[in-house]
Amino acid sequence: MTDKTIARLPGEYWWGGVINEGSAMPFGRTVHARDLRMTDDNQASPLLLSSQGRYLWSEDPFAFRADEEELSVSPGAGEVVLEEGHGSLKGAYAHASRTYFPPSGQIPDALAFTAPQYCTWIEMFYAPTQDKIIRYAESILANGLPPGILIVDDNWMKDYGMWDFDKHRFPDPGAMVAELHRMGFKVMLWMCPYVSADSTIFKELRGGGLLMTGADGAPVLRQWWNGYSAVIDYTKAEGAAWFRRQMDRLIVDYGVDGFKLDAGEPILPGAPDVTQPVSWSRPLRQLEDCEAYASLGIGYSLVELRMCWKLGGQALIQRQRDKTHTWDAGGLGGLIPNAIAQGLLGYAFNCPDMIGGGMDGDINAPDFRFDSELFVRYAQCAALFPVMQFSMAPWRVLSGDELTWSLDAVRLRTELCEELLALARQAAVDGLPILRSLEFEYPGQGYALVQDQFLLGSDLLVAPVVVKGQSARVVHFPEGRWKGDDGSLVEGPVALEIEAPLSRLPWYRKQ
């Protein structure tokens, strides 16, 4: 395959590739290079979209380089298609979506849009128990938060690959789930594709040929954040069916409502994290193993993913990778740009990381310092994302006005939840992002570089503060009349500095 060089049109910018590079988007301002064949621990897609109505698509990962003059593309195994003539970023996206990742017509469970998620990770790390989870749920309600989706994170199970509750820590999981349901919660369980090599299930899966193997036929061990484990071969129909049977059994036996499918990073050629190169059971396109893992969630009412390759348009909740407890692009500053990129790659049902950041190495570091201002602004920023998620309990880390202001963000979401749900249902039909950039809705009006505010649908403008110590910010108002949360009326197009004390999440509705 030969390289493509595409001259940049006047005022043209590009988005796409990997969502975790949202802060570098749009491309075309400075030099930016990316090889999509390399994993980024988050969602990705072989798609680049232009503000001038052009896009690039390939069924396989490719490398690209953008600068102020041109976009150059080095194809991988497959052809890179250039489509032109679609007028705008929105036009290019709509055509790419219809052609390559049409909407499924389904949405995740409605509760994902009408109430927060509450993950046990930060509060319990690797030590969740039945008693702790019931107490956590009771505390959520006692502190004035609505019941939502409760995610039981890592180490609820007997072992990796042994997907049943540890009976010592969960003596009656069915009763626990029933009690959470009675309280108004739905329940998701954390799962991963790994199998402990010294477990009894390892022997069973090895005997059935359901583990990824090397050239010598022996199971490959992969190094991941919890050690070394074998890997279910979910690229084989039999391996995928085995994994789905585990999920189906948990639904039937205990009444759980869905799953957080963690990990799923592709195994790359020559990767140092595996004991030997994987010998696939059939020829695979590069990154197809990542796509196969994410596909395990299709058809379930509640599935959250961190890793995904392609699969835009599916009814899957796509979470941004773990964020640090910081204001920069690795933390709060990356949320909006990454969410815009998620929507442009077809992941409409997108979720920021846990409020305050869920990077355990960051939060558990000896020098970790909690920033209450950051937590409040994070809650405000996440409140009107398609999906929002708590883990660090706000009532534990905040008090007084700061706690009230964080809870106010949730109350705002509750007030607007039916609109969020309506947008989700619309996205399932037309495939358009729920969370959009100004350039997406108002093309060619100078908004391509605005990455710190967003639109929900066409009519709700949200402008969180994402800079430490800031009590005012510039808001770009597109054409039309906009009514603010403070009762103000603004006639656009105009850019205004507006007051935004820590108590306020600025948002506006088009009249």
Side-chain angles (χ1 to χ4, degrees), residues 12-206:
E12 184 175 36
Y13 294 98
W14 295 84
W15 289 258
V18 296
I19 71 100
N20 200 48
E21 291 185 344
S23 294
M25 299 177 200
F27 307 129
R29 294 171 289 169
T30 57
V31 175
H32 184 86
R34 178 73 202 185
D35 188 341
L36 298 180
R37 293 168 294 188
M38 305 303 293
T39 182
D40 194 60
D41 296 333
N42 227 162
Q43 302 95 37
S45 193
L47 174 66
L48 293 176
L49 296 151
S50 155
S51 58
Q52 301 292 334
R54 307 197 285 180
Y55 71 86
L56 290 164
W57 172 269
S58 176
E59 291 297 330
D60 297 280
F62 55 84
F64 69 90
R65 180 186 184 278
D67 60 29
E68 296 169 307
E69 302 296 328
E70 62 187 22
L71 174 69
S72 57
V73 180
S74 299
E79 180 186 4
V80 177
V81 176
L82 172 63
E83 267 280 344
E84 301 186 80
H86 301 291
S88 65
L89 177 62
K90 186 175 187 177
Y93 172 84
H95 190 271
S97 171
R98 289 193 303 270
T99 307
Y100 297 109
F101 47 93
S104 70
Q106 304 295 317
I107 67 168
D109 190 288
L111 192 60
F113 308 101
T114 60
Q117 293 179 327
Y118 306 95
C119 182
T120 64
W121 177 240
I122 299 299
E123 292 303 300
M124 302 176 200
F125 284 113
Y126 293 102
T129 68
Q130 183 167 332
D131 288 344
K132 285 181 186 177
I133 287 166
I134 293 296
R135 289 199 302 270
Y136 183 47
E138 290 171 343
S139 296
I140 289 168
L141 302 182
N143 282 279
L145 289 163
I149 296 168
L150 198 151
I151 303 173
V152 182
D153 215 286
D154 193 355
N155 210 29
W156 58 270
M157 66 288 173
K158 292 179 180 178
D159 204 347
Y160 300 113
M162 300 181 72
W163 300 112
D164 205 349
F165 284 90
D166 182 305
K167 298 299 184 183
H168 297 289
R169 289 176 288 118
F170 293 87
D172 193 345
M176 177 191 74
V177 173
E179 176 63 10
L180 292 169
H181 284 168
R182 186 195 65 77
M183 297 164 71
F185 292 90
K186 294 197 173 182
V187 181
M188 294 171 66
L189 298 179
W190 179 95
M191 295 180 74
C192 71
Y194 301 125
V195 179
S196 292
D198 55 358
S199 65
T200 56
I201 196 67
F202 172 85
K203 298 180 180 65
E204 177 185 325
L205 294 169
R206 180 181 58 186

Side-chain angles (χ1 to χ4, degrees), residues 447-461:
Y447 300 126
L449 303 184
V450 177
Q451 290 274 84
D452 63 350
Q453 60 183 81
F454 60 90
L455 290 159
L456 280 176
S458 301
D459 297 334
L460 288 180
L461 177 66

Side-chain angles (χ1 to χ4, degrees), residues 10 34 60 64 94 115 126 138 141 143 168 213 233 238 251 257 296 299 302 314 345 356 368 427 453 462:
R34 178 73 202 185
D60 297 280
F64 69 90
Y126 293 102
E138 290 171 343
L141 302 182
N143 282 279
H168 297 289
T213 60
D233 191 348
E238 299 86 351
I251 292 170
D257 303 286
L296 294 172
L302 273 176
Q314 296 295 329
L345 295 182
F368 174 71
Q453 60 183 81
V462 187

Side-chain angles (χ1 to χ4, degrees), residues 387-431:
V387 181
M388 76 179 301
Q389 183 176 129
F390 283 99
S391 188
M392 196 183 298
W395 59 87
R396 182 175 64 81
V397 295
L398 298 176
S399 61
D401 287 341
E402 291 176 328
L403 177 58
T404 298
W405 296 333
S406 290
L407 300 184
D408 283 345
V410 180
R411 282 188 278 271
L412 172 61
R413 182 181 186 84
T414 302
E415 291 172 14
L416 299 179
C417 68
E418 291 303 320
E419 292 183 58
L420 279 167
L421 180 56
L423 287 168
R425 287 174 173 151
Q426 186 62 36
V429 175
D430 63 21

